[in-house]
Amino acid sequence: MDARGDHQRRADALDRQRQAETRQAAALIEAFARDAAAAGIRPEALTARTYSGSGRVRTQVSGWYLKRDRSVGVGTDGAFYVLSTPGGLRERLRGATLTPSDPPLELGRGARDGESLPLVEALRLRLAAGDDWA
């Protein structure tokens, strides 16, 4: 066997695993959006932190924050959003346009702060908090 073929097989296996995790996480996110709406938990206009960390800008997304630091959220459309943006002048004036991201099964995995939380637990906590999330 050549090393290139072995590397490609490993890369393909990792890609299949990542895709499977993304599908599983997306199903959890979609179920959360339905459950939150059914429970009457009010969505709010989500904001995004600028890359520099100097402020927040409004977005076109309405939904629920999943972490208290407001770094990720779920839209009423059942999509997962990472709430960060370049934060240039145009975004500050008109708001940021976010695109959905592939959701992870663990929020914060590999982050510098070392605080990670399984997605299923974050969703459970958020639903349990109802409108009292702050």
Side-chain angles (χ1 to χ4, degrees):
M1 277 201 207
D2 69 349
R4 189 178 318 185
D6 192 38
H7 289 309
Q8 186 61 47
R9 279 188 290 284
R10 280 189 288 214
D12 291 345
L14 285 173
D15 190 49
R16 284 190 303 276
Q17 179 183 356
R18 184 192 58 76
Q19 289 175 7
E21 287 182 4
T22 296
R23 284 191 301 275
Q24 183 181 356
L28 292 170
I29 293 288
E30 290 168 8
F32 167 83
R34 285 190 307 271
D35 293 346
I41 301 173
R42 289 185 309 271
E44 59 185 296
L46 301 181
T47 61
R49 179 177 292 129
T50 60
Y51 291 164
S52 67
S54 64
R56 298 193 70 86
V57 297
R58 68 183 186 280
T59 72
Q60 85 287 8
V61 179
S62 178
W64 305 271
Y65 294 104
L66 289 186
K67 293 181 71 177
R68 294 196 190 279
D69 68 1
R70 298 177 175 225
S71 59
V72 293
V74 174
T76 55
D77 58 358
F80 177 80
Y81 294 91
V82 175
L83 301 171
S84 63
T85 185
L89 181 61
R90 181 178 173 166
E91 288 175 319
R92 290 183 185 274
L93 295 174
R94 295 186 180 178
T97 301
L98 299 177
T99 56
S101 298
D102 288 341
L105 281 176
E106 187 170 345
L107 298 177
R109 183 185 325 168
R112 289 183 291 223
D113 62 10
E115 291 191 25
S116 63
L117 180 66
L119 178 63
V120 69
E121 180 68 6
L123 296 172
R124 184 191 68 73
L125 290 170
R126 182 61 188 91
L127 271 176
D131 286 329
D132 293 332
W133 185 262

